[in-house]
Amino acid sequence: MKIESRLAQIGSQNDPQTGAVSFPIYQSTAFRHPRLGQSTGFDYSRSKSPTRAVLEAAAADLERGDAGFATSSGMAALQIVFSLFSSGDHLLVSLDLYGGTYRLLEQVMSRFGVTATYIDTNDLDALESHRKPNTKAVLIETPTNPLMMVTDIAKVAAWAKRFDLLTIVDNTLLTPFFQRPIELGADIVVHSASKYLGGHNDVLAGLIVTKGEKLSADVAFLHNSIGAVLGPQDSWLLMRGMKTLALRMERHQANATRIAEWLKSHPSVESVYYPALPDHPGHDIQKAQSSGNTGIFSFRMKDARTIEPILRHIKLIAFAESLGGGESLMTYPAVQTHADIPEEIRLAVGVDDRLLRFSVGLEHADDILEDLRQAIEAAEREING
Ligand SMILES: *Cc1c(COP(=O)(O)O)cnc(C)c1O
């Protein structure tokens, strides 16, 4: 079945007992055993819970992996995956990285002896020259957040396999509707499901999907041992959101493309970072490995003084951090999402004080454009007296 059908049908055929079309919330931590040595398949909900199990099976199916794991947040998913590594292990990681992932690696995992080097993961020479005898994995975000750098997943996964390195892809921005890294050779996919998968700015969740029996068993062990699992109510909310993923991603893409094109020709804007635009350096790779574009992009204003008044004058668009929901949100990465990345690294990548990140929502594109137009105009008026 096509992915649209599999999304719409999540959980709807999993409750033969009642025939519930919307899979129920099983709000129980413990499950009766029929007798000694027998089990219904469930014993304690940290290990396995009915509502979460339906979500996890759907995640594995959508990403074309062998096993899915639902976690209490995207960061919890990353923490569980990083726990595959031991003191002395080294990771190669995308340079323009989600700030929280950088913080987890540098301020937490480093204390446990797991180190990381941040490079352009699309550059095989850079990967090769930074690979050490203790390197165990490559962690890719593609496109990256906020600068939308694109990595050729198949190329990197093939390189990584030669050296027995795991390829881990954070697929939050494109979702399995547009991109399936496991089909391109990745071993592990992680998601902040709080973004497009949930899609309504109302549930915090993460997902891990693994390929291969051993890796799936190792992550299952860590998921249960660490315990950062998703509860039944949030599992249900996430499945409810995912049913409309296809429709939402198509609208996010259409709105974002229209607004990115408009900003690109705006005299106050210096540059727009969106892989759907033909002159984006990652355009061709993205087109080859993904079937569409995300709803988020970044743009750099010519004058840093316009940033504060733009954020003050937007009305429909909310000044808030997050992405992927129905509501349009504008973020200032240098002081919000990426504040934990040291300034020299931030500036080297291009996350400077003129950069805004825009998660384009599901409102009508005319209304979003009008709000942006009036905010930029008001900002220009203020700084020009
Ligand atoms: C938000 C985000 C995360 C972290 O997920 P949470 O659900 O907020 O914990 C990780 N990676 C990317 C790309 C994100 O956008």
Side-chain angles (χ1 to χ4, degrees):
M1 266 201 289
K2 302 261 198 257
I3 192 163
E4 290 85 348
S5 314
R6 289 183 282 124
L7 284 163
Q9 288 276 329
I10 290 174
S12 82
Q13 315 217 359
N14 295 66
D15 195 26
Q17 206 173 348
T18 68
V21 170
S22 163
F23 191 79
I25 299 169
Y26 280 85
Q27 193 69 44
S28 184
T29 51
F31 301 86
R32 287 174 199 274
H33 300 305
R35 51 195 296 178
L36 188 63
Q38 288 185 358
S39 165
T40 59
F42 299 95
D43 43 53
Y44 183 58
S45 66
R46 173 158 36 72
S47 319
K48 191 176 176 193
S49 110
T51 313
R52 195 180 85 219
V54 171
L55 166 65
E56 292 174 332
D61 170 60
L62 293 167
E63 286 286 5
R64 295 305 192 201
D66 292 320
F69 306 91
T71 60
S72 50
S73 68
M75 292 321 303
L78 285 155
Q79 160 81 75
I80 289 168
V81 169
F82 292 157
S83 301
L84 287 165
F85 306 109
S86 305
S87 180
D89 288 351
H90 171 254
L91 314 176
L92 292 163
V93 179
S94 288
L95 182 60
D96 173 32
L97 188 70
Y98 178 70
T101 310
Y102 180 86
R103 181 177 56 200
L104 177 60
L105 285 167
E106 290 305 301
Q107 295 184 32
V108 184
M109 295 314 295
S110 64
R111 292 195 284 107
F112 296 87
V114 176
T115 55
T117 304
Y118 305 89
I119 46 166
D120 174 0
T121 41
N122 197 44
D123 181 347
L124 279 194
D125 293 336
L127 284 169
E128 186 55 58
S129 68
H130 288 94
R131 187 176 63 83
K132 306 183 201 180
N134 57 336
T135 303
K136 293 290 162 67
V138 188
L139 169 62
I140 299 169
E141 275 185 29
T142 182
T144 58
N145 162 11
L147 285 166
M148 314 304 286
M149 290 160 70
V150 177
T151 290
D152 184 331
I153 299 171
K155 180 180 82 175
V156 173
W159 174 84
K161 269 198 180 72
R162 276 174 45 209
F163 305 103
D164 259 341
L165 314 184
L166 291 176
T167 300
I168 306 163
V169 178
D170 183 329
N171 202 27
T172 299
L173 263 53
L174 283 171
T175 82
F177 182 64
F178 280 146
Q179 174 171 280
R180 286 174 298 281
I182 286 173
E183 288 181 341
L184 300 167
D187 303 289
I188 302 178
V189 171
V190 289
H191 279 282
S192 169
S194 324
K195 314 295 170 52
Y196 290 106
L197 290 172
H200 293 74
N201 287 324
D202 61 5
V203 58
L204 191 73
L207 290 171
I208 306 168
V209 177
T210 48
K211 180 78 190 165
E213 212 172 309
K214 166 85 169 55
L215 196 54
S216 301
D218 289 351
V219 172
F221 173 80
L222 291 169
H223 190 225
N224 183 42
S225 299
I226 293 171
V229 301
L230 194 65
Q233 311 224 10
D234 284 344
S235 295
W236 184 89
L237 261 180
L238 181 52
M239 284 194 274
R240 205 251 289 258
M242 285 165 70
K243 284 168 176 277
T244 55
L245 182 70
L247 284 168
R248 290 187 287 104
M249 290 312 288
E250 278 165 359
R251 175 61 67 87
H252 279 300
Q253 168 177 240
N255 280 357
T257 304
R258 177 147 170 235
I259 289 155
E261 281 168 352
W262 179 83
L263 278 170
K264 207 168 153 44
S265 59
H266 195 289
S268 308
V269 175
E270 184 180 279
S271 42
V272 179
Y273 299 87
Y274 188 44
L277 300 177
D279 64 346
H280 185 279
H283 177 80
D284 292 342
I285 302 170
Q286 162 99 19
K287 208 170 163 179
Q289 72 184 4
S290 319
S291 57
N293 289 281
T294 183
I296 179 176
F297 64 81
S298 296
F299 60 102
R300 180 176 289 114
M301 297 301 293
K302 285 187 179 152
D303 191 327
R305 292 173 303 163
T306 55
I307 301 287
E308 190 280 327
I310 287 175
L311 294 173
R312 181 156 35 82
H313 284 291
I314 46 177
K315 298 187 184 95
L316 173 73
I317 304 162
F319 173 38
E321 50 203 309
S322 194
L323 62 103
E327 302 85 0
S328 288
L329 304 183
M330 183 91 72
T331 306
Y332 190 26
V335 304
Q336 293 180 299
T337 48
H338 290 64
D340 281 317
I341 298 182
E343 190 176 6
E344 71 272 17
I345 299 183
R346 254 201 305 109
L347 294 180
V349 196
V351 182
D352 62 19
D353 64 352
R354 290 184 290 141
L355 192 79
L356 285 171
R357 191 186 79 182
F358 192 10
S359 173
V360 182
L362 300 175
E363 304 91 348
H364 197 289
D366 289 350
D367 293 328
I368 306 171
L369 266 186
E370 176 49 29
D371 193 37
L372 202 52
R373 192 197 56 73
Q374 66 79 25
I376 296 177
E377 209 173 276
E380 289 289 352
R381 252 200 321 274
E382 279 188 28
I383 66 164
N384 294 319

